[in-house]
Amino acid sequence: MAEEKCVIHDVPALSDVFVMEDLLNELGVRTKWNKRAKTIAINSSNIDNIAAPYELARKMRASFLVTGPLLAKVGKVKMPLPGGCQIGARPVDLHIKGFMAMGAKVKSEHGYVAAYARRLKGANIYLDFPSVGATENIMMAAARASGQTIIENCAAEPEIVDLSNFLNSLGADIRGAGTDTIKINGVKRLGGGSYTIIPDRIEAGTLMVAAAITKGDVIIENIVIDHLKPMIAKLKEAGVNVSEVKNGIRVHPGESGKLIPIDVKTMPYPGFPTDMQAQFMSLLTLAEGTSVVTETVFENRFMHVGELKRMGADIKIDSRSAVVEGVNILSGAQVKATDLRAGAAVLLTALAADGETEISDIYHIDRGYYRFDEKLRSLGANIRRVKG
């Protein structure tokens, strides 16, 4: 959306980031990586294509997030319906509803969404569900629309606040990010700039569970503690010690060393994140008693259950809830990563299981965790990659 070069810092070299970079390059955006510095420079002053290729868009759902910026900057876009992890329907109807409210003409056919608007106009938009993707897409489109846009019942995740701060640093006028109502006064132009993104709260949460499930004593640095409150609260409820230290957060066993069964229910932020549901289920397979994990965000996010059961877990699914009976011992087995967070869950379970576990389809894990095996090895895990 910017008219000048942007430099973004602390960008992890994830496969999803590479896919997004390839997609932007297809649209005419010039990018330059400095992987050692974890920095990427982006110049989008000469966009010459408004149609994204299906081969790239099918790889990740976030590909659809170029729709709002293209519509705002160029006035037209043709995007394939997105792909990504198969954890539920996750339709883009809320995105389209927002674009149409701002005056865009939208047509959906043959697996593509085509949209046109000479210039988007500000509008009042109420989201039927506080979708993160829809909030981001509409907010970006509205940043360069004519007049004021108000998004109600929007997502309040830290990533929404970070995006708002980034856009404002480029010259946008956005207020209210982090609440359920965001007000955007459109501007004609966004400049360039330099920005450092926030730490990944889900990777931090996954490392916290890794420490808890192995009864380790780990300090995790470069975090924002406020972003981790739901995970911290549930770990403490499960009998794990979590404390703030000088450079981060420390996770170590409670006095008894035993895990207490708890109930977990996923909710939009500031509730417990759906992206941590699978990892916590892994932890609860070793709790002494019965836990209930309820998924309210995505209807098909228990794909990891079958893999955990192969390792000795006692889990029964009842609609959108999973009843987890803690067991004394988990055993290594051949399992696969069925999606990104499911992959993290089987990896965590393998850390605590007796014997060797072989995990296939680890490309899912690489989508969202940078050199995760190396980080776990640095903490003492016996883990290695093998070429299959």
Side-chain angles (χ1 to χ4, degrees):
M1 294 177 66
E3 301 297 341
E4 301 169 23
K5 185 175 76 171
C6 294
V7 179
I8 305 177
H9 302 277
D10 279 0
V11 182
L14 301 172
S15 58
D16 269 10
V17 175
F18 298 144
V19 171
M20 182 59 83
E21 182 187 17
D22 290 343
L23 178 58
L24 292 175
N25 292 158
E26 287 285 338
L27 300 174
V29 178
R30 298 192 300 275
T31 57
K32 184 176 181 180
W33 263 99
N34 184 333
K35 293 181 182 178
R36 178 172 292 182
K38 297 181 181 178
T39 295
I40 185 167
I42 301 170
N43 188 326
S44 59
S45 59
N46 292 304
I47 292 175
D48 56 12
N49 182 17
I50 53 89
Y54 170 73
E55 292 74 20
L56 290 173
R58 71 179 178 85
K59 292 182 179 180
M60 58 184 288
R61 177 169 178 78
S63 62
F64 202 72
L65 290 178
V66 305
T67 309
L70 276 177
L71 195 55
K73 183 173 184 177
V74 184
K76 52 186 176 180
V77 59
K78 185 179 181 181
M79 275 294 299
L81 291 171
C85 291
Q86 302 304 309
I87 58 175
R90 304 199 291 181
V92 294
D93 56 336
L94 293 180
H95 304 237
I96 294 171
K97 173 184 175 181
F99 300 150
M100 292 179 67
M102 288 188 282
K105 296 179 180 179
V106 183
K107 183 190 296 184
S108 180
E109 59 184 12
H110 306 302
Y112 280 79
V113 173
Y116 167 82
R118 181 168 295 179
R119 188 180 181 191
L120 296 172
K121 298 179 180 179
N124 287 1
I125 301 166
Y126 179 87
L127 298 181
D128 298 322
F129 178 82
S131 161
V132 172
T135 301
E136 292 171 336
N137 229 348
I138 296 168
M139 184 167 66
M140 288 187 288
R144 288 188 59 165
S146 173
Q148 185 181 75
T149 298
I150 299 176
I151 314 172
E152 296 183 276
N153 194 37
C154 56
E157 272 75 359
E159 293 76 20
I160 301 292
V161 178
D162 205 36
L163 176 59
S164 171
N165 290 339
F166 171 58
L167 292 172
N168 284 339
S169 74
L170 303 180
D173 183 0
I174 304 171
R175 300 290 180 269
T179 72
D180 63 359
T181 302
I182 297 176
K183 295 181 180 180
I184 306 110
N185 293 309
V187 297
K188 290 184 177 181
R189 184 181 186 277
L190 293 178
S194 179
Y195 192 81
T196 301
I197 61 174
I198 58 173
D200 186 341
R201 63 193 170 103
I202 304 303
E203 181 180 6
T206 303
L207 286 167
M208 290 164 63
V209 175
I213 200 170
T214 58
K215 294 181 169 53
D217 189 342
V218 175
I219 292 175
I220 303 166
E221 300 177 332
N222 188 30
I223 59 170
V224 180
I225 289 179
D226 282 349
H227 297 173
L228 302 174
K229 283 183 177 179
M231 292 87 94
I232 292 172
K234 283 299 175 181
L235 281 174
K236 287 182 175 179
E237 191 178 332
V240 180
N241 273 330
V242 184
S243 56
E244 187 174 348
V245 295
K246 183 178 180 180
N247 295 318
I249 196 168
R250 180 187 176 196
V251 182
H252 58 106
E255 290 184 11
S256 68
K258 298 178 180 179
L259 290 172
I260 301 168
I262 60 173
D263 292 343
V264 174
K265 183 176 183 180
T266 65
M267 296 290 287
Y269 191 85
F272 189 89
T274 180
D275 280 339
M276 283 299 304
Q277 176 255 106
Q279 300 92 307
F280 262 76
M281 190 181 295
S282 294
L283 179 67
L284 297 175
T285 61
L286 291 171
E288 295 191 359
T290 305
S291 303
V292 178
V293 178
T294 303
E295 174 61 54
T296 72
V297 180
F298 295 122
E299 71 276 9
N300 193 28
R301 206 160 201 180
F302 285 149
M303 294 174 67
H304 50 282
V305 168
E307 305 305 307
L308 299 187
K309 290 173 74 171
R310 288 178 57 81
M311 302 175 73
D314 184 354
I315 307 170
K316 294 181 178 63
I317 299 176
D318 181 10
S319 186
R320 286 204 168 195
S321 293
V323 180
V324 184
E325 295 286 349
V327 297
N328 293 324
I329 298 175
L330 295 166
S331 57
Q334 288 186 320
V335 293
K336 67 178 180 179
T338 55
D339 60 66
L340 169 54
R341 305 307 174 188
V346 295
L347 180 51
L348 295 180
T349 307
L351 293 176
D354 285 354
E356 183 175 274
T357 298
E358 181 180 306
I359 305 171
S360 60
D361 292 356
I362 61 169
Y363 66 88
H364 282 298
I365 299 173
D366 291 335
R367 287 186 54 210
Y369 295 94
Y370 178 61
R371 294 183 173 179
F372 203 51
D373 54 323
E374 294 180 19
K375 292 176 182 178
L376 293 174
R377 258 198 311 277
S378 73
L379 295 172
N382 183 2
I383 179 174
R384 68 187 187 278
R385 285 177 180 260
V386 294
K387 291 184 179 180

